[in-house]
């Protein structure tokens, strides 16, 4: 398994500790007769790249914007580069196959690399109805529900193949697997997950074992993975893409959190936070704006130190919040990377974050820690 090294975050202060001996112990051999040059640690690489970037380039690392899976227009590429957007998600379905997709991702990487830092290129490759990339070289992936009927060891082997396919196509992040559990009874009544067979099973035990298998398999295949949608949408009363005020009853000690813990323990470098509201955790705010959910529950209780990425802010659940305000609220709550499947709102968000950094020293420290977390993850993924 590729070794994951992510920034250690001092959660109460929002300050990252990178490149220290304590955070990244150096392993040595008893005898080294001809020592060669030691490669810089991911933490050291992150600090060096951070120092070389402009303020706008740094903030741009915290955003992921949508581009067509079949290829961006020249105007889209120009705008993304002008706004220093550091990461992209391939939206919409493509049947171009591995070679065709590699052409798209290569163009994106060339256009959006800054100071030797390449973008994360992501997609939604769960299986079933949620498989964005197909065609020559890509497997026809079964639904997650069908995957959940496989032995975890079998699923891990298949997930490694799926990860290898994505890596060959130049995709560095898969926004999967779902760690949501839809209880038995009426799974199709659950709008975001059960209706599309996106769950591995109807108990947290099954979902945990299979989510961890996908994390380990795709990691070995060479792609970063994302467990989602924290802290769970398996009992949600609506789809956040389509309506506001969606709620889910998951609480801070719920067994439905165990699949997320399993994915984190398996090495997932990304966790996607939901846009629903969780009355038993924070009744007043959607999870993406909730320090109780992100900092308290995900960071402190579950021990996650990687990239907390949002679900798409193009969703109706949060669309009423002005883009700039939404971005500031997300990062203040403990988020690391904000995703929007549209591009123009991201440009407004980036401007608002830069403006707040310039006027608020506390917020500037939070943003610096987030940028270093992203850069260190990119170093671990070979994108620096």
């Amino acid at each position: 398994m590729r070794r994951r090294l992510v920034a250690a975050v001092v959660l109460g202060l929002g300050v990252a500790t990178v490149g220290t001996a304590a955070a990244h112990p150096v392993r040595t051999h008893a005898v080294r007769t001809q020592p060669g040059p030691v490669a810089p640690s991911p933490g050291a690489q992150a600090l060096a790249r951070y120092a070389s970037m402009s303020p706008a380039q740094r903030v741009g690392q915290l955003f992921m914007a949508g581009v067509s899976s079949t290829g961006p227009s020249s105007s889209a590429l120009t705008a993304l580069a002008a706004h220093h957007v550091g990461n992209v998600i391939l939206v919409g379905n493509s049947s171009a196959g591995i070679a065709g997709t590699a052409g798209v991702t290569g163009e994106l990487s060339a256009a959006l690399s800054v100071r030797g830092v390449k973008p994360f290129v992501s997609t939604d490759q769960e299986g079933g109805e949620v498989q964005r990339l197909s065609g020559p070289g890509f497997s026809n992936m079964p639904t997650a529900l069908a995957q959940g009927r496989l032995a975890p060891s079998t699923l891990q082997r298949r997930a490694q193949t799926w990860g290898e396919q994505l890596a060959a196509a130049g995709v560095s992040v898969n926004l999967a697997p779902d760690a949501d559990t839809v209880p038995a009874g009426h799974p199709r009544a659950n709008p975001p997950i059960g209706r599309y067979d996106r769950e591995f099973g109807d108990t947290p035990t099954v979902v945990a074992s299979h989510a961890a298998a996908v994390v380990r398999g795709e990691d070995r295949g060479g792609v970063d993975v994302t467990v989602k949608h924290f802290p769970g949408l398996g009992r949600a009363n609506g789809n956040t893409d389509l309506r506001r005020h969606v709620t889910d009853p998951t609480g801070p000690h719920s067994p439905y959190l165990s699949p997320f813990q399993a994915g984190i323990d398996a090495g997932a470098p990304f966790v996607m936070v939901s846009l629903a509201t969780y009355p038993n955790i924070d009744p007043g705010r959607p999870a993406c704006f909730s320090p109780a959910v992100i900092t308290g529950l995900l960071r402190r209780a579950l021990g996650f130190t990687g990239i907390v990425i949002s679900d798409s802010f193009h969703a109706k659940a949060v669309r009423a919040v002005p883009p700039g305000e939404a971005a500031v609220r997300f990062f203040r709550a403990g988020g690391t990377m904000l995703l929007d499947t549209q591009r123009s709102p991201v440009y407004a968000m980036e401007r608002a974050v830069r403006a707040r950094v310039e006027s608020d020293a506390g917020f500037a420290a939070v943003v610096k820690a987030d940028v270093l977390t992203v850069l260190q993850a990119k170093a671990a993924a070979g994108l620096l």
Side-chain angles (χ1 to χ4, degrees):
M1 179 179 290
R2 293 179 300 155
R3 183 165 179 79
R4 305 285 183 197
L5 295 175
V6 295
V9 179
V10 182
L11 295 170
L13 301 176
V15 178
T17 304
V18 294
T20 66
H24 308 295
V26 177
R27 299 190 181 201
T28 60
H29 297 285
V31 178
R32 296 186 64 182
T33 56
Q34 292 183 337
V38 178
S41 69
Q45 292 180 59
L47 286 168
R49 300 296 183 181
Y50 182 91
S52 73
M53 290 175 145
S54 70
Q57 290 169 340
R58 293 167 182 166
V59 170
Q61 293 297 306
L62 305 184
F63 292 94
M64 180 176 282
V67 297
S68 172
S69 294
T70 58
S73 66
S74 59
S75 61
L77 275 181
T78 299
L80 287 165
H83 289 88
H84 309 289
V85 175
N87 311 282
V88 290
I89 173 174
L90 303 177
V91 297
N93 295 336
S94 168
S95 58
I98 288 177
T101 303
V104 172
T105 60
E107 184 180 17
L108 288 165
S109 183
L112 302 183
S113 295
V114 294
R115 304 296 184 186
V117 179
K118 298 176 183 178
F120 278 126
V121 179
S122 74
T123 192
D124 286 299
Q125 198 84 336
E126 299 176 20
E129 292 189 48
V130 189
Q131 180 177 348
R132 298 292 170 242
L133 305 178
S134 61
F138 285 114
S139 299
N140 184 19
M141 296 172 62
T143 66
L145 192 60
Q147 293 173 37
R149 300 187 184 107
L150 301 172
S153 59
T154 300
L155 179 58
Q156 182 170 318
R157 288 193 297 271
R158 294 191 183 181
Q160 180 171 344
T161 297
W162 301 333
E164 290 168 349
Q165 292 166 358
L166 289 172
V171 173
S172 46
V173 178
N174 190 11
L175 299 176
D178 281 29
D180 306 296
T181 304
V182 182
H186 303 283
R188 293 278 176 166
N190 172 252
I193 309 300
R195 183 170 296 177
Y196 303 101
D197 294 340
R198 298 172 71 190
E199 74 277 23
F200 289 114
D202 57 18
T203 68
T205 300
V206 169
V207 176
S209 61
H210 288 71
V214 171
V215 170
R216 294 189 181 101
E218 293 199 359
D219 175 273
R220 290 182 178 181
V223 68
D224 283 353
V225 286
T226 309
V227 290
K228 63 185 186 184
H229 308 77
F230 187 82
L233 287 175
R235 295 178 291 163
N237 63 359
N239 188 332
T240 56
D241 288 343
L242 305 176
R243 55 169 282 198
R244 299 175 61 191
H245 309 304
V246 172
T247 62
D248 183 286
T250 298
H253 305 292
S254 170
Y256 291 95
L257 295 175
S258 63
F260 294 96
Q261 186 72 74
I264 292 167
D265 292 345
F270 285 74
V271 170
M272 178 179 285
V273 67
S274 149
L275 309 183
T277 299
Y278 297 81
N280 292 318
I281 303 172
D282 185 345
R285 289 171 287 203
C288 59
F289 298 143
S290 172
V293 171
I294 300 176
T295 301
L297 187 56
L298 179 56
R299 293 291 197 197
R300 292 186 179 136
L302 271 65
F304 182 64
T305 59
I307 293 175
V308 179
I309 189 170
S310 74
D311 204 346
S312 175
F313 270 33
H314 184 62
K316 192 168 183 179
V318 295
R319 209 181 304 165
V321 183
E325 178 186 342
V328 171
R329 288 175 62 183
F330 172 70
F331 292 117
R332 280 202 184 282
T336 317
M337 184 178 292
L338 194 154
L339 184 155
D340 196 308
T341 51
Q342 303 298 302
R343 290 186 298 275
S344 57
V346 170
Y347 306 151
M349 292 173 186
E350 188 268 345
R351 289 192 298 269
V353 169
R354 275 200 289 144
R356 186 60 61 94
V357 164
E358 293 170 0
S359 64
D360 183 335
F363 186 72
V366 169
V367 167
K368 180 177 181 179
D370 288 340
V371 175
L372 288 171
T373 297
V374 172
L375 292 176
Q376 194 165 354
K378 287 188 174 184
L383 297 176
L384 299 190

